[in-house]
Amino acid sequence: MRLPLFILLCLTIVLSSCSEYQRVLRKDDMGKKFALADSLYKIGKYKKGLKLMEQIVPSYRGKPQGEKLMFIYSNTYYNLEDYVLAGYQFERFTQAYPQSDSVEVASFKSARSFYELSPRSALDQRDTYKALEKLQEFINRYPNSEKRVEANTLVAELREKLETKEYNTAKQYLHIEDYKAAIGAFDNFITDNPGSHYRKDAFYGRYVAAYKLAINSIPNLVQERLITAKGYYSNFIKYYKDTDLAPEALEIYQDIESRIVPTETKPNS
């Protein structure tokens, strides 16, 4: 069966292209490697282009073409979603070419790479803190950048992730009945996150932890800790008396009141 002429032509072009790529890849002609890598980059053939770039990047450091090569090399990793190497290479680019017209884009993509590496809130958040640092550096360095709004959105998202992590840690202490740790964690959360949407739950969680600590204490500590819990109720109700948690908070408060032993009044002498 004879293949149509068009298909044969396409196959010929593809095979020729592949053989040309292999020839350039094997040869030591840096100029041809650069030109082909640039062409492949422009048409989105990032994996093939990367193999060529990896061979020639060391040879172009300090040369006029080095700036362009380092940028497309970094951006190739970014487009391939290898954010570890993209962040690292963009960072190197900004250090090597601080006066480049591409330095602002490189700075943003470096920060964005660290953002992409930030894990879900349940996991260790070191990469999240790194991403926040890099994004804030970008915002401070380029206050008028067209990427500023996006950068601020990413910062808000990462901060909310950290809030979630911190709040869930406090809640976990409450769940495992480590009430002292829960009170401390909720205290820190309330201080560190004044605008958080978890704030109401943190006030309530601290109150519940203080109540449970009190009623599970040894007898000579119960009264003192009930009074502390009562103070946390006052803190909660000051801000959240009309919320869905107020009825439950009141029930606990009534139990606290029933357990507090009135201080005897000494008779006048």
Side-chain angles (χ1 to χ4, degrees), residues 135-143 148:
L135 284 163
Q136 197 59 56
E137 283 178 5
F138 173 81
I139 292 166
N140 294 342
R141 187 172 294 129
Y142 303 104
R148 181 182 175 86

Side-chain angles (χ1 to χ4, degrees), residues 216-229:
N216 287 285
S217 295
I218 57 176
N220 65 322
L221 292 176
V222 170
Q223 293 299 304
E224 177 188 344
R225 288 177 173 173
L226 284 172
I227 291 168
T228 299

Side-chain angles (χ1 to χ4, degrees), residues 121 129 156-169 189 192-199:
S121 62
Y129 284 109
E157 185 180 323
L158 292 176
R159 284 179 176 161
E160 183 171 349
K161 185 184 291 187
L162 292 177
E163 286 179 17
T164 300
K165 171 77 171 179
E166 193 177 344
Y167 172 73
N168 285 338
T169 298
F189 181 88
D192 296 341
N193 304 283
S196 173
H197 64 272
Y198 293 114
R199 190 171 171 80

Side-chain angles (χ1 to χ4, degrees), residues 227-247:
I227 291 168
T228 299
K230 187 176 175 180
Y232 285 138
Y233 172 76
S234 297
N235 295 147
F236 172 81
I237 215 69
K238 178 181 177 181
Y239 299 107
Y240 304 110
K241 65 179 180 179
D242 297 320
T243 65
D244 58 323
L245 293 175

